[in-house]
């Protein structure tokens, strides 16, 4: 009732994220809409034809961007606001930029990935844009719209490159108002999957409503973990790499080696293959990725390798009149820069993050590797009917980045003299010395558990 304006007028920002240009919360924010609802009804939907750049010249406060974004801009702006992989944090920054541009507030943010458009077209079938002579299907919609947005024509000359999205939004709005009964259930099923897989993420400024969204698992929040739980989230950020993530195949290989004293050494290898053609176009350019590894807070980086950096001359210098952003400084606390690998180490959202660069050319594969020590030991003594028994409990929580197409696999290796006695989690197999998590597409957040005892 609160969300749909049952208690008065509500205004929400709809953020459309293009997963072909991956960003921390799902994709580049190319377009947005202002949705106004009252008494459960949509009373207005405004989609600026110049997309998120519509707010560029309206901003009344200029702040420095996060350092990696200096590759794209001298100052931080609305289109790059979704810097934080924790969606509530990014949503707060999105609302901040909106307020300092339009001089008005909003009651929440709903991020919608481009894959949701494919889902909708898969249910309702193709739609035709008679004005431009285009037919959009679930297979061609994203690239067709992207090509139209990039084409130099009258709409682009008039600073209306996203006019096609403005026009299509009204088409979809009318469809949802008059939806056929036979399409309602397939649409609800797809909506549920999209929420579970973070293709749609929601943030409300009303605390009770936001709490409900978090309980449903729709908030895109970085999970709070216990001090003795292993955690992993790999976050990719495409900066000046065009739409090349459409052609990137990524694999995360995780290995946890448990030592005799109960300490755990993790190695994470990320492989990225660029399947595009080297034509210099939107999909055939080099993929430039600022990659961050979020791990348990207090983890110690042992080594990192395989990184490639953009040339220093391409980074901008912040404008002299820009200020440091207190919100960024509060959430992203730098610990140090690793001398050997150049990896930036920070504390964020109750986690330690390792950040570095990887550039993948068309037709090539890049591979980066992080090795680090967890900040806890996993051995304990339990009392049984037969006396004390040494046990080891290991639990791994892996969060999926919204918009990513990633394969994941893992091995948990026990020390000599230890055997597994219980396991839990998807697609696992007990080995003589531990647990194997089979290769699988990471569509949702996952958790795996292993209990072992000493012989």
């Amino acid at each position: 009732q609160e969300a749909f304006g049952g208690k008065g007028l509500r205004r929400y920002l709809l953020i459309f994220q293009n997963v072909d240009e991956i960003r921390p919360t799902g994709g580049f924010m190319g377009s947005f809409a202002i949705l106004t609802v009252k008494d459960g009804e949509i009373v207005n939907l405004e989609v600026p034809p110049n997309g998120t750049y519509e707010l560029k010249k309206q901003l009344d406060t200029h702040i420095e961007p996060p350092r990696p974004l200096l590759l794209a801009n001298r100052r931080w702006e609305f289109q790059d606001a979704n810097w934080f992989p924790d969606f509530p944090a990014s949503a707060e920054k999105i609302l901040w930029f909106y307020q300092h541009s339009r001089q008005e507030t909003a009651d929440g943010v709903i991020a919608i990935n481009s894959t949701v458009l494919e889902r909708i077209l898969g249910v309702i079938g193709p739609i035709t844009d008679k004005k431009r002579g285009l037919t959009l299907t679930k297979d061609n919609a994203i690239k067709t719209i992207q090509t139209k947005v990039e084409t130099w024509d009258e709409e682009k000359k008039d600073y209306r490159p996203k006019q096609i999205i403005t026009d299509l939004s009204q088409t979809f709005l009318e469809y949802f108002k008059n939806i056929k009964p036979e399409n309602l259930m397939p649409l609800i099923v797809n909506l549920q999957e999209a929420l579970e897989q973070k293709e749609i993420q929601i943030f409300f400024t009303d605390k009770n409503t936001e709490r409900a969204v978090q309980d449903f698992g729709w908030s895109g929040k970085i999970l709070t973990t216990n001090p003795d739980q292993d955690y992993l989230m790999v976050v990719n950020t495409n900066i000046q790499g065009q739409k090349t993530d459409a052609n990137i195949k990524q694999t995360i290989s995780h290995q946890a080696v448990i030592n005799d004293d109960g300490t755990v050494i993790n190695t994470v290898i990320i492989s990225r293959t660029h399947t595009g053609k080297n034509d210099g176009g939107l999909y055939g350019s080099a993929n430039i990725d600022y990659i961050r590894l979020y791990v348990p807070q207090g983890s110690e980086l042992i080594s990192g390798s395989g990184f490639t950096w953009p040339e220093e001359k391409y980074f901008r210098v912040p404008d002299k009149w820009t200020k440091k952003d207190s919100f960024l400084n509060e959430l992203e606390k730098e610990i140090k820069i690793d001398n050997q690998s150049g990896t930036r180490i920070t504390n964020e959202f109750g986690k330690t993050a390792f950040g570095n660069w990887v550039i993948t050319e068309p037709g090539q594969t890049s591979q980066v590797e992080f090795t680090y020590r967890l900040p806890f030991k996993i051995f304990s003594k339990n009392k049984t009917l037969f006396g004390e028994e040494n046990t080891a409990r290991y639990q791994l929580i892996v969060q999926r980045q919204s918009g990513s197409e990633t394969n994941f696999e893992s091995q948990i290796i026990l020390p000599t003299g230890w055997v597994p006695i219980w396991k839990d989690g998807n697609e696992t197999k007990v080995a003589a010395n531990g647990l194997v998590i089979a290769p699988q597409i990471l569509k949702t957040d996952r958790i795996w558990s292993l209990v072992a005892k000493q012989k």
Side-chain angles (χ1 to χ4, degrees), residues 1-12 34-45 107 173 177 204:
Q1 189 177 25
E2 167 66 29
F4 288 96
K7 299 178 182 178
L9 201 67
R10 296 290 179 269
R11 181 189 296 116
Y12 302 114
I34 302 100
L35 173 70
T36 307
V37 295
K38 184 179 181 182
D39 299 331
E41 289 189 16
I42 296 174
V43 296
N44 189 43
L45 181 67
D107 300 292
L173 185 59
K177 285 182 177 180
F204 292 110

Side-chain angles (χ1 to χ4, degrees), residues 48-212:
N50 197 22
T52 49
Y53 292 102
E54 185 91 4
L55 304 185
K56 192 170 184 177
K57 294 182 180 180
Q58 301 174 20
L59 194 60
D60 65 6
T61 304
H62 298 157
I63 55 176
E64 287 186 23
R67 281 187 227 170
L69 285 177
L70 288 170
L71 188 61
N73 288 301
R74 295 179 183 275
R75 66 187 191 192
W76 203 359
E77 296 173 338
F78 181 67
Q79 72 274 4
D80 295 320
N82 59 343
W83 171 252
F84 307 103
D86 180 85
F87 183 71
S90 277
E92 287 192 48
K93 200 64 204 173
I94 289 168
L95 291 171
W96 184 92
F97 276 107
Y98 181 75
Q99 182 176 357
H100 283 270
S101 299
R102 286 284 183 94
Q103 312 307 318
E104 64 182 26
T105 60
D107 300 292
V109 180
I110 302 172
I112 304 171
N113 290 3
S114 47
T115 47
V116 176
L117 174 60
E118 296 170 344
R119 284 182 177 273
I120 294 172
L121 292 174
V123 173
I124 70 175
I127 62 171
T128 300
D129 177 8
K130 295 180 180 179
K131 180 179 177 181
R132 300 170 183 83
L134 300 173
T135 299
L136 303 180
T137 70
K138 67 182 183 66
D139 297 318
N140 74 2
I142 305 304
K143 287 192 176 182
T144 299
I145 292 172
Q146 187 63 52
T147 300
K148 177 65 185 71
V149 167
E150 297 294 332
T151 300
W152 185 258
D153 57 14
E154 290 301 318
E155 290 179 354
K156 193 159 188 175
K157 288 179 185 177
D158 293 341
Y159 301 100
R160 295 181 293 112
K162 309 297 176 72
Q163 185 67 49
I164 183 174
I165 298 174
T166 303
D167 296 344
L168 286 173
S169 67
Q170 299 306 315
T171 301
F172 283 114
L173 185 59
E174 287 303 312
Y175 172 82
F176 292 133
K177 285 182 177 180
N178 303 287
I179 189 169
K180 295 178 181 179
E182 62 267 26
N183 287 339
L184 185 58
M185 186 54 67
L187 202 62
I188 290 173
V189 170
N190 273 274
L191 177 63
Q192 174 70 20
E193 287 184 357
L195 287 163
E196 289 177 351
Q197 297 179 18
K198 302 183 189 177
E199 294 175 41
I200 300 173
Q201 297 165 94
I202 305 172
F203 172 79
F204 292 110
T205 57
D206 178 77
K207 291 183 179 179
N208 290 332
T209 312
E210 174 63 12
R211 194 176 299 116

Side-chain angles (χ1 to χ4, degrees), residues 349-377:
F349 309 106
K351 306 290 184 287
T352 291
F354 306 134
N356 216 316
W357 293 90
V358 54
I359 300 174
T360 310
E361 299 287 346
Q364 302 294 316
T365 296
S366 298
Q367 185 170 284
V368 298
E369 181 174 323
F370 296 89
T371 300
Y372 54 97
R373 182 181 292 104
L374 297 185
F376 55 84
K377 297 182 180 182

